[in-house]
Amino acid sequence: MGQSDYRLTHLGRLEAKGIVRQILEARLAVDTIFAPVSRQSEETTQIIRKGLKSAAPVFHAPALGERDFGDLTNMRKEMALDLYGATAVVAWKRSFHAGPPSGESFADLHDRVWAYFTEHVRPCLDRDLNVLIVADTDSIRSLALGVGEVPATQMEALEFERGQVIAYAFEDAGGSRSAGREPPRLRIVA
C-alpha cells in the first residue's frame, strides 16, 4: 500500500502496451504527458511514447503520485488487517475523509491532485493540447471527481480497471463537454 517505488511488472508492461493500443484504436493524439515521479510511471510513459512514436514532452509531478498511506506504506494488506482491523483499513482505503495513521485521506489526495491539474494541466487543455495523464487509480479517481464525472458521495464505490484509457473533452470555460470535438469515451462511469 502507499507510495512505493517499484519497477513495472510484466503485467504492467503489457498494460502499458494495451494503453498504446487503446489510444491508437481511438485515434487520440497525445501532445503532452503528465505523470507522477516514480519508476513505474517513467517506464509506462517510455512504453507509451515509443508505441505511439511520439516526442510528446513528459512532465513528472510529485502531486500526481499515489496516495500516502502513512504507517501502512509498504505494509502487506494482511498485516494491516491484523494490526488495525478490517473496518479501519477499509475506511482508510475507500472513504473520502478517513485517512490512515500519518497518511492522507482521499480528500487530501484530491486537494493536491486537483490543485496540480488546475495549475498545470488545465492551461494545456485551454491551449487545445491533448493531454495524457499517467497515474495510479486513486489519482485517476480524484480527477474523475474533479471533472464532475462522479460526486464525492459515490467515490467509495468508483473503480477503474488498470491499464484503461478514459477520454474526456473540455470546454474553454472549464467543464466537461458533451458535444462538439468530443473524443470517444472509452469508458463512462455510471
Side-chain angles (χ1 to χ4, degrees):
M1 286 192 243
Q3 298 180 324
S4 53
D5 192 19
Y6 301 108
R7 296 183 55 83
L8 274 182
T9 63
H10 176 69
L11 177 60
R13 286 187 290 280
L14 291 175
E15 289 169 346
K17 290 175 183 176
I19 290 168
V20 170
R21 190 172 43 258
Q22 291 174 68
I23 291 170
L24 291 172
E25 287 173 359
R27 296 189 174 121
L28 298 172
V30 174
D31 300 315
T32 305
I33 301 172
F34 289 90
V37 178
S38 72
R39 288 186 220 174
Q40 291 176 341
S41 66
E42 177 63 33
E43 290 180 62
T44 300
T45 56
Q46 287 177 8
I47 291 168
I48 291 170
R49 288 177 79 213
K50 182 178 178 183
L52 296 177
K53 299 179 175 91
S54 171
V58 179
F59 298 95
H60 291 283
L64 294 175
E66 291 183 44
R67 185 172 158 201
D68 181 357
F69 274 90
D71 294 349
L72 277 64
T73 299
N74 292 324
M75 186 181 291
R76 296 186 53 82
K77 184 177 180 179
E78 297 79 19
M79 181 180 268
L81 292 170
D82 287 344
L83 286 173
Y84 299 103
T87 302
V89 172
V90 169
W92 296 333
K93 178 88 173 123
R94 302 304 292 175
S95 75
F96 194 75
H97 294 289
S102 305
E104 288 181 302
S105 67
F106 188 83
D108 297 331
L109 170 82
H110 177 68
D111 288 346
R112 79 169 152 86
V113 168
W114 194 248
Y116 184 85
F117 179 89
T118 302
E119 186 174 339
H120 299 282
V121 178
R122 186 66 215 201
C124 293
L125 298 172
D126 291 341
R127 292 192 332 259
D128 209 27
L129 296 175
N130 293 315
V131 173
L132 175 65
I133 299 174
V134 175
D136 75 292
T137 55
D138 276 346
S139 297
I140 298 299
R141 287 173 63 223
S142 174
L143 291 169
L145 172 65
V147 300
E149 184 173 6
V150 294
T153 56
Q154 294 180 8
M155 289 309 299
E156 290 181 31
L158 180 61
E159 294 287 341
F160 289 109
E161 295 175 33
R162 290 171 37 120
Q164 179 182 27
V165 174
I166 304 161
Y168 295 101
F170 290 86
E171 300 171 335
D172 291 338
S176 299
R177 185 192 317 207
S178 60
R181 67 171 187 91
E182 180 177 26
R185 290 184 184 263
L186 302 179
R187 181 177 181 288
I188 298 173
V189 175

